Each structure stands twice: as structure tokens, then as C-alpha cells.
Amino acid sequence: MKNKKWISLATAVVLAVTALPLGVFAAKKDEAKLAKVTLNEVAHSIFYAPQYVAIEEGYFKDEGLDMTLITGFGADKTMTAVISGEADIGFMGAEASIYAYQEGATDPVVNFAQLTQRAGNFLVAREEMPDFKWEDLKGRKVLGGRKGGMPEMVFEYILKQNGLDPQKDLSIDQSIDFGATAAAFTGDDSADFTVEFEPSATALEKQGAGYVVASLGVDSGYVPYTSYSARTSYMEKNPYIMQKFTDALQKGMDFVQSHTPEEIAEIIEPQFPETDLDTITAIVKRYYDQDTWKENLVFGQDGFELLQDILEDVGELKERTPYAELVNTEFAQNAS
């Protein structure tokens, strides 16, 4: 009997001693089970608030994903990262996938989720123009975007919608690198206007160096401005990751639809350590008020055809691409 008591006691002690380490090991094991996925975004902007909400609220981890975010600083660089396999998923304008397809890509980069439904940039003038009209750009110089990129194409689309010829009626400087136009605008007063994303537009206003006079997102109407895409081979090989990634994004979309700009700003603040909360809130509100973010991630055919209309309009489309070739809505339709 004594031996049985000692054996029982010894067993209890061993179980007590090993319980904590086993729990730690189990946690590490669960962490190791997270599927790794690399996302390359075209820019790091408050314009993409739902994505940062998903990151900060832990939605990707909740879906079993260990997501690494890299900023490509330009759709061309983001697309290169996706094609080379450096990134699993790209976040950029869908025009990049059309260009790659036109060049004969053997493993097409296909769009599977649309985040924004309006352009995210603004026209900034050197002085306040409360009664601004697009014809005010006649004879003026504007710092524009990269040829063939969404910011520049939407800008030219708006000009034409307002009876202006982008080549003849004004001068558009397209030589400045993405993200460097605000610095160029303050450093050289030869340009009268600049087309800026946030936080650059608001930063110029705070410095007294410029004033937002028009929203390209409002004046262009609903445009499929940015979307998520991946190589066909990656999507076919990793349907689980694709669905879980899309599910996490949808949670971010749901959050911005059901919360105030102030609440959204507080969540994404850690993503923008160089920008104060008041500024983040003001920018979120600006995007929020113009209905920037879709309620769901489904990239519809009407939007894709409109995008190709814009590409044709500016002479960047060799021939139209069938919607089914470059858009897969399966994951967005099944997102929960």
C-alpha cells in the first residue's frame, strides 16, 4: 500500500511539473501551424484602412495566417514581386494584371478581391480655390502620376470628361517618382497643382503649402481602383490560404462599415507612427464620406469593363481581356 501511495504521489508531482511546459510547447506548436503568406502592397496609405484594421485586430492570425506585409512603392514593383514569387499576393491597381496578361504571361496574375471603389487621390493647388472647376487647369502645370498607372489614368479620364485634352490644354509632369511629388511641389514652385494621395494631401494643407481643391474619387465616380491578386498557380495550389486571407479582409471591410471614422483611426494608428491621430482621423473621414470602401470584396464585371474603358481612353490597352481570364470571385463570394 505504501508503495502504491508513493507511486501515486510521484505521478501527481510529475504531472504538475510538466503541465506548464506542455502548455507552452502546445502554444508554440499552434503558432508554428500558422500558414505563412507574404503580401506586397503598392503603397502604405490610410486609403487602405480596412486592410490595416484586419492586421491590427488580428483577423489574419485568427484565420490561421502568419501574414508579412511589404510595401512595393509602385504597381510595377509590386507586380514584379508577385510574378517572381517574392510575394504570394499583390495589392495594386488591376491594370497591372492586364498589362502583364497583354505581355503574354504564362502564369497570369488574377484579381480575387477588390478593396476600394473610388480613386484615393486629390488635386492640390497652391492657393485656396473654393469655386474650383476642372477648366481652371487650362494652361497650367500639374505634377501627375506614372504613365499607365491608375492615378494618372483616372486624372486624364476626368480631364476628358470635362472637355480638356491632357496633351494640349495643360502640362502634366510625369517624371517624378511615386510618392515624391509632394516634396517636389514644395521644393519647386514651377507647378501650379499636384495630384496627391493621403497623407501627403493633408500634410501639404497643414504646412500651408497647398490646398485640396478636388477629389478624383468623387469626380471619376465608382472605379475599381485597387485589388488583390495572385499568380494562377499559387491560387490553385493554396486555395485554403486564399480563402482564409479573403475572410480576414472581409472582417476588416465589415469593421469599417460598422464603425465611425474616429474608431477606425484609433485601430489603424499604429500603422502610421509618423502621423498624429487627429490627422489620421481627418483622412479616414475624408475617405469614409466619399464611400471609398466596398461592402464586400467581389470584383464585378461592370467595374472590370469600366477599367478597360479607361485604359482604352488613354491609349494603354492593346486589346480587351475577357473578365473571366483575370478575375476570380470565388473567394470573395465565399468570404465570411
Side-chain angles (χ1 to χ4, degrees), residues 208-245:
Y211 302 88
V212 172
V213 295
S215 164
L216 275 68
V218 170
D219 290 343
S220 64
Y222 290 109
V223 175
Y225 204 80
T226 42
S227 60
Y228 295 86
S229 55
R231 284 171 293 132
T232 301
S233 60
Y234 181 85
M235 295 173 73
E236 291 175 347
K237 186 179 179 181
N238 302 281
Y240 173 84
I241 290 178
M242 296 300 301
Q243 189 60 65
K244 291 301 183 181
F245 183 91

Side-chain angles (χ1 to χ4, degrees), residues 4 112 142 194 202 204 223 237 265 304:
K4 287 184 179 180
F112 65 91
V142 182
T194 181
T202 296
L204 285 172
V223 175
K237 186 179 179 181
F304 188 74

Side-chain angles (χ1 to χ4, degrees), residues 16-283:
V17 171
T18 58
L20 182 58
L22 283 173
V24 172
F25 293 144
K28 288 184 177 180
K29 188 176 180 181
D30 287 343
E31 197 170 306
K33 284 181 181 177
L34 293 177
K36 295 184 181 298
V37 59
T38 300
L39 169 64
N40 189 300
E41 60 176 3
V42 63
H44 197 71
S45 171
I46 296 165
F47 184 40
Y48 312 132
Q51 172 181 287
Y52 306 125
V53 166
I55 292 172
E56 293 299 325
E57 288 293 275
Y59 296 152
F60 288 103
K61 190 172 182 180
D62 290 346
E63 293 295 336
L65 300 179
D66 177 9
M67 201 270 282
T68 298
L69 180 65
I70 297 171
T71 304
F73 298 104
D76 52 342
K77 297 180 180 64
T78 295
M79 178 56 76
T80 298
V82 174
I83 291 174
S84 68
E86 180 185 332
D88 302 312
I89 295 172
F91 178 54
M92 62 197 127
E95 82 284 353
S97 66
I98 296 175
Y99 296 152
Y101 186 83
Q102 287 183 156
E103 291 170 6
T106 55
D107 188 7
V109 175
V110 173
N111 302 281
F112 65 91
Q114 179 188 334
L115 187 81
T116 56
Q117 60 183 4
R118 287 192 185 275
N121 39 359
F122 301 87
L123 184 68
V124 179
R126 289 200 179 275
E127 55 192 44
E128 293 183 85
M129 301 177 68
D131 299 317
F132 171 81
K133 298 177 295 297
W134 286 99
E135 49 262 40
D136 292 337
L137 294 182
K138 277 190 175 181
R140 302 294 191 95
K141 178 180 177 181
V142 182
L143 300 185
R146 177 179 60 84
K147 185 179 185 301
M150 280 300 286
E152 179 61 24
M153 290 193 298
V154 170
F155 177 48
E156 292 186 21
Y157 174 75
I158 293 172
L159 293 176
K160 290 181 179 180
Q161 292 292 310
N162 286 274
L164 296 174
D165 185 325
Q167 278 70 49
K168 296 178 180 179
D169 291 332
L170 65 158
S171 171
I172 305 175
D173 186 345
Q174 297 179 265
S175 67
I176 302 169
D177 288 340
F178 182 85
T181 49
F185 189 66
T186 56
D188 179 1
D189 62 5
S190 65
D192 305 294
F193 299 85
T194 181
V195 177
E196 296 295 335
F197 272 104
E198 294 289 12
S200 297
T202 296
L204 285 172
E205 286 191 320
K206 286 202 163 190
Q207 295 167 22
Y211 302 88
V212 172
V213 295
S215 164
L216 275 68
V218 170
D219 290 343
S220 64
Y222 290 109
V223 175
Y225 204 80
T226 42
S227 60
Y228 295 86
S229 55
R231 284 171 293 132
T232 301
S233 60
Y234 181 85
M235 295 173 73
E236 291 175 347
K237 186 179 179 181
N238 302 281
Y240 173 84
I241 290 178
M242 296 300 301
Q243 189 60 65
K244 291 301 183 181
F245 183 91
T246 310
D247 289 349
L249 282 176
Q250 185 60 60
K251 289 179 180 177
M253 299 290 269
D254 293 342
F255 186 98
V256 300
Q257 293 294 333
S258 59
H259 290 75
T260 65
E262 289 77 14
E263 291 169 328
I264 296 167
E266 285 183 8
I267 294 296
I268 69 172
E269 182 183 14
Q271 288 284 325
F272 302 94
E274 296 178 359
T275 307
D276 64 84
L277 182 58
D278 286 344
T279 299
I280 294 173
T281 303
I283 294 171

